Amino acid sequence: LDKDEDGEIETTWLERQPTSKDLHWFRTQYGRLQELESYVERSLKVLESYEQYTINAYFQAMLEGLEYVLKWAEEHPKLIDDLPASSDPYVQSQVQWLKSKKG
């Protein structure tokens, strides 16, 4: 994540843009972290304050980073349309999900 000239956060890929399988992995991890959020919050209560801060900051950074990745995918519908056809049901489900976010 980088800031543009207006100070807005934007997603910058270091090597290559993600594939549909990458996007599926990001979406799966985001969902998994959302499911864990209340557990993490409850678990932090038994830790020292500096440990709470560190773990919570890392957890929230992971969520935020994945949110920006998924937002980026939704803002680039041309890339979604250009995904190659695949007979892999896993890839097909991801392409379908991304296309549903366009409309």
Side-chain angles (χ1 to χ4, degrees):
L1 299 176
D2 290 319
K3 287 189 178 180
D4 65 13
E5 60 274 352
D6 297 327
E8 295 291 320
I9 294 176
E10 63 182 6
T11 304
T12 303
W13 301 105
L14 298 179
E15 293 185 20
R16 62 172 175 79
Q17 292 182 345
T19 65
S20 57
K21 282 189 178 185
D22 294 334
L23 293 173
H24 174 73
W25 186 87
F26 292 134
R27 192 178 99 197
T28 301
Q29 295 310 308
Y30 181 72
R32 186 179 65 83
L33 290 177
Q34 284 184 311
E35 291 173 6
L36 288 173
E37 192 165 18
S38 64
Y39 173 77
V40 169
E41 288 173 359
R42 288 192 312 272
S43 299
L44 289 176
K45 294 177 183 174
V46 300
L47 301 174
E48 297 292 329
S49 63
Y50 68 91
E51 292 171 320
Q52 289 177 9
Y53 173 80
T54 301
I55 292 169
N56 189 53
Y58 178 78
F59 187 83
Q60 294 305 319
M62 291 294 295
L63 278 173
E64 183 177 4
L66 290 168
E67 287 169 0
Y68 276 98
V69 166
L70 297 175
K71 180 181 173 189
W72 175 90
E74 291 174 10
E75 292 173 349
H76 291 80
K78 176 80 173 108
L79 295 173
I80 296 167
D81 290 339
D82 289 345
L83 291 173
S86 172
S87 59
D88 183 346
Y90 175 82
V91 173
Q92 289 176 352
S93 70
Q94 283 314 111
V95 171
Q96 185 63 32
W97 180 80
L98 290 168
K99 287 183 178 181
S100 74
K101 292 296 191 178
K102 279 177 42 180

